[in-house]
Amino acid sequence: MKVLEDIDLKPYTIFKIGGRARYFCEVDSSQEFKEAIRWAGKNNLQLFILGIGSNVLISDEGFSGLVIKNKLENIKIKNTDVYIGAGAPMARVVVETTKAGLSGFEWAIGIPGTIGGSIRGNAGCFGFETKDVLESVDVFDINKNTKYKIQNRNCNFGYRDSIFKHSPNLIIFSALLKLRKGNLQKSQEKISEYSKTRVASQDIGAQCAGCIFKNVLWSRRDLNKTDLIKKFPELKKFSNQKEIPVAFLIDDLGLKGTKIGNAQISRRHANYFINLGNARAQDVIMLIGLTKERIQNHYGILLEEEIHHISS
Ligand SMILES: Cc1cc2nc3c(=O)[nH]c(=O)nc-3n(C[C@H](O)[C@H](O)[C@H](O)COP(=O)(O)OP(=O)(O)OC[C@H]3O[C@@H](n4cnc5c(N)ncnc54)[C@H](O)[C@@H]3O)c2cc1C
């Protein structure tokens, strides 16, 4: 494990935004991972685990602790069990499991993150979530200085939520997925279908961080579905769904295309903010603030962020 100093973090994120890390290292084995965690502890430094950087907004001031870039990418398949290093990209897991004749994970093809980041945020799309295929997670607990297994039922998964979001002491090292026997051709057709749908509706290849905000669940305690639909009949079309898409709310207020500095609300998918080139984290934060304020003032709905802000 080699610790580097003063590393620009922009290239390590899809947003291409953010300052520098005081310390940075890449780990490709659990031994190295543990060494890096202990090194940070010994030097009294804050830790930040980086996957592919597809769901983070790193501050312009950067991070004054140790960034550990997770490269534990091993994938081992035994019958329908898939053992994966937390740094494996979702798309690679889809390809490898499909090739092995397994089905159940095709939906994840377009999620540009790692398994670790996706377990933390219970990433999902097309009606599926990471928790649906997850059996257990192997974590390193910094507080207890030891590794152990957490079963799916104890991960407290919710919509874009898990125990890992609330317990930064738990670092995900690897995971076991349980898939089912499938048919290669059918899986390939599904993958192609999911990919086409994404291409048609999202800014593929753009410098962004996926959805900035969580969709608004009708089940939220602070919302009254009947009152909201009465006041805003345009929301009725979502009444049979679990949630109101935030992209609809942003679009409905005419905010698509709004720009602050070089950060812009996408014209294609209003819940994506795009870095048009050299945008600052501050631009994105102001755009987030403006969007929240407008939605709150009009609909009375407080938006919750899906992306993780990194600063120190
Ligand atoms: C174009 C685009 C499309 C997207 N589409 C979707 C979508 O359809 N559905 C969806 O849910 N998301 C989507 N996302 C968001 C993103 O890809 C997911 O949230 C993904 O799971 C993040 O993984 P990552 O490895 O990039 O995590 P990072 O962005 O690197 O990190 C995110 C958070 O996870 C933590 N983390 C990462 N690895 C670990 C680990 N091993 N242990 C503990 N904590 C860890 C980080 O510390 C950070 O807090 C999209 C993003 C983009 C850019």
Side-chain angles (χ1 to χ4, degrees):
M1 178 206 60
K2 194 169 162 202
V3 178
L4 305 172
E5 283 185 57
D6 193 30
I7 297 297
D8 184 8
L9 291 172
K10 283 189 193 69
Y12 292 97
T13 69
I14 297 190
F15 230 161
K16 304 286 179 269
I17 292 177
R20 306 178 83 80
R22 181 163 171 217
Y23 297 107
F24 179 95
C25 71
E26 292 191 346
V27 294
D28 59 13
S29 69
S30 35
Q31 193 49 40
E32 277 193 349
F33 216 147
K34 279 191 244 172
E35 267 175 47
I37 293 168
R38 287 187 182 129
W39 186 87
K42 228 169 47 198
N43 291 287
N44 217 6
L45 292 167
Q46 254 188 289
L47 259 188
F48 170 58
I49 313 298
L50 185 63
I52 284 170
S54 63
N55 203 216
V56 287
L57 177 62
I58 295 174
S59 89
D60 297 313
E61 287 71 41
F63 184 73
S64 60
L66 171 68
V67 173
I68 303 180
K69 165 87 179 150
N70 178 9
K71 306 269 285 182
L72 268 72
E73 296 178 1
N74 52 307
I75 302 175
K76 208 169 84 195
I77 300 173
K78 211 169 152 198
N79 300 318
T80 52
D81 290 345
V82 187
Y83 300 87
I84 317 172
M90 295 283 268
R92 231 192 83 210
V93 179
V94 174
V95 171
E96 297 288 327
T97 54
T98 303
K99 272 201 303 202
L102 298 181
S103 179
F105 202 48
E106 297 88 342
W107 55 270
I109 190 69
I111 298 184
T114 60
I115 285 286
S118 301
I119 291 172
R120 177 185 178 274
N122 189 22
C125 51
F126 303 112
F128 300 96
E129 293 175 309
T130 306
K131 73 167 177 55
D132 300 337
V133 290
L134 186 81
E135 190 78 4
S136 61
V137 184
D138 287 307
V139 299
F140 185 84
D141 185 334
I142 300 178
N143 293 350
K144 296 184 177 150
N145 194 24
T146 185
K147 229 175 126 187
Y148 53 87
K149 197 178 286 302
I150 306 183
Q151 296 298 330
N152 179 322
R153 64 178 175 282
N154 296 322
C155 291
N156 300 349
F157 284 119
Y159 169 59
R160 300 293 174 269
D161 201 11
S162 74
I163 191 174
F164 309 103
K165 268 201 172 173
H166 309 281
S167 316
N169 56 305
L170 297 179
I171 315 270
I172 303 165
F173 271 24
S174 58
L176 169 59
L177 305 190
K178 190 100 185 153
L179 301 182
R180 56 175 191 275
K181 294 254 185 253
N183 169 293
L184 179 62
Q185 197 190 333
K186 277 195 186 144
S187 289
Q188 284 170 338
E189 281 166 13
K190 279 189 198 169
I191 289 172
S192 148
E193 213 40 57
Y194 289 133
S195 304
K196 267 194 227 152
T197 308
R198 269 190 189 266
V199 171
S201 61
Q202 297 177 6
D203 302 82
I204 305 296
Q207 299 182 156
C208 67
C211 288
I212 295 287
F213 302 105
K214 290 182 180 181
N215 286 325
V216 181
L217 294 177
W218 286 115
S219 57
R220 264 172 55 168
R221 283 211 198 118
D222 60 330
L223 299 187
N224 182 313
K225 187 173 177 179
T226 315
D227 288 354
L228 260 176
I229 292 177
K230 211 158 132 197
K231 206 163 163 203
F232 305 104
E234 65 272 29
L235 300 182
K236 190 160 189 262
K237 61 180 167 193
F238 304 114
S239 63
N240 291 330
Q241 300 180 12
K242 273 201 312 212
E243 62 205 20
I244 310 168
V246 167
F248 172 84
L249 301 178
I250 299 175
D251 191 11
D252 200 44
L253 293 191
L255 293 171
K256 267 185 172 175
T258 306
K259 241 169 90 175
I260 293 185
N262 257 354
Q264 182 178 45
I265 300 179
S266 163
R267 291 186 190 282
R268 267 172 95 88
H269 187 309
N271 201 4
Y272 278 31
F273 290 8
I274 311 292
N275 172 8
L276 298 174
N278 295 323
R280 295 172 315 135
Q282 201 49 40
D283 300 334
V284 178
I285 289 167
M286 286 195 289
L287 206 47
I288 288 174
L290 178 141
T291 307
K292 277 180 147 177
E293 191 189 340
R294 295 288 299 277
I295 301 279
Q296 169 90 58
N297 287 346
H298 185 82
Y299 288 106
I301 296 173
L302 180 65
L303 294 185
E304 295 171 23
E305 281 155 55
E306 186 174 319
I307 55 165
H308 185 184
H309 291 251
I310 312 300
S311 60
S312 61

